[in-house]
Amino acid sequence: MIIVHRENDVVFASALTVEIIEQGILAEKGTIRACIYPETAFTYFDVTTPSDWEPQKFCYTEVDGFTLNASYVPPQPPPEVRIAQLEAENALMALELIDTQIALEQSQTEQANLILTLVERGVI
């Protein structure tokens, strides 16, 4: 089951069971998780969600089925996680820079040796 916003067809949630109660649509997501959505703003459909389903990533209509939500912005990781990712990327870039510098120094050494050999043989 999916809960869909009536105005823009965005899929807001999935549910194991749905029941219409006085307060709205009661969507039960598990043994203790449930949420009530106002029936004036939301509707529901008994369909299976796509394997890559995430809240608000898709829109749904009975005519078109699931379509990607053009306004969807993926959730951003918490700052601590993002900082850890950036630190790891920074460490990899530092290693790549060192490898590049070593290769450059080797190339320069080889070039200097070649020039020295050419000078010693009187070519230049």
Side-chain angles (χ1 to χ4, degrees):
M1 302 260 192
I2 57 171
I3 309 299
V4 177
H5 196 277
R6 289 181 185 273
E7 186 177 310
N8 56 16
D9 300 321
V10 172
V11 181
F12 267 75
S14 66
L16 298 174
T17 62
V18 169
E19 179 183 347
I20 302 297
I21 60 174
E22 185 178 329
Q23 297 86 356
I25 302 170
L26 174 64
E28 300 211 23
K29 301 178 182 194
T31 54
I32 56 174
R33 290 187 59 211
C35 191
I36 298 174
Y37 296 89
E39 198 173 2
T40 56
F42 293 90
T43 189
Y44 69 95
F45 297 95
D46 188 5
V47 295
T48 304
T49 57
S51 60
D52 59 342
W53 181 86
E54 293 178 30
Q56 302 182 22
K57 183 177 181 179
F58 291 94
C59 293
Y60 181 84
T61 64
E62 289 182 295
V63 173
D64 298 327
F66 286 97
T67 56
L68 287 175
N69 178 2
S71 302
Y72 175 71
V73 177
Q76 297 299 311
E80 309 82 45
V81 172
R82 186 66 182 135
I83 289 169
Q85 289 172 338
L86 291 171
E87 286 174 342
E89 288 176 22
N90 189 32
L92 287 174
M93 288 172 50
L95 289 173
E96 288 176 5
L97 177 61
I98 290 169
D99 287 343
T100 302
Q101 288 173 332
I102 290 170
L104 176 62
E105 287 176 13
Q106 288 175 342
S107 175
Q108 289 173 336
T109 300
E110 289 172 5
Q111 186 177 16
N113 287 338
L114 177 61
I115 291 172
L116 181 59
T117 301
L118 293 174
V119 168
E120 287 174 343
R121 292 185 181 171
V123 176
I124 51 175

